[in-house]
Amino acid sequence: MRTAFVVPGRTRITDPVSIGATIITVDTTVGFPTSGSLSLPTASVAGVVTYTGKTTNQFTGLTTAVDVLSIGDDVRYNNVAYGYSFAS
């Protein structure tokens, strides 16, 4: 049985995010599911946030932001993939 490999979404912030924000504006949300969780690798406090909706360039329905994010910061779909090699 084969499982299709799906490249998770990745984008960048286009508007600064302040503490208390419930929307993150990005370049694009293409490649991200309708709802889920985001990994914010440059965030110092909140490394993962959940969202309940999206538009073409915004993630909506976030719980209030607890960290400040800047233009250009990475946003990634919070999906972890593991690979194993059985070669000796």
Side-chain angles (χ1 to χ4, degrees), residues 56-81:
T56 56
N57 69 334
Q58 289 185 326
F59 294 104
T60 60
L62 282 79
T63 53
T64 55
V66 295
D67 210 344
V68 174
L69 301 170
S70 302
I71 293 172
D73 284 353
D74 277 337
V75 176
R76 299 178 188 154
Y77 181 58
N78 188 39
N79 187 13
V80 179

Side-chain angles (χ1 to χ4, degrees), residues 31-43:
F32 290 85
T34 305
S35 63
S37 60
L38 303 171
S39 174
L40 307 170
T42 55

Side-chain angles (χ1 to χ4, degrees), residues 20-66:
T22 59
I23 293 173
I24 295 179
T25 304
V26 294
D27 286 330
T28 182
T29 60
V30 173
F32 290 85
T34 305
S35 63
S37 60
L38 303 171
S39 174
L40 307 170
T42 55
S44 60
V45 177
V48 175
V49 296
T50 59
Y51 65 98
T52 59
K54 70 174 192 167
T55 66
T56 56
N57 69 334
Q58 289 185 326
F59 294 104
T60 60
L62 282 79
T63 53
T64 55
V66 295

Side-chain angles (χ1 to χ4, degrees), residues 5-6 8 78-86:
F5 180 75
V6 177
N78 188 39
N79 187 13
V80 179
Y82 295 96
Y84 296 97
S85 172
F86 294 103

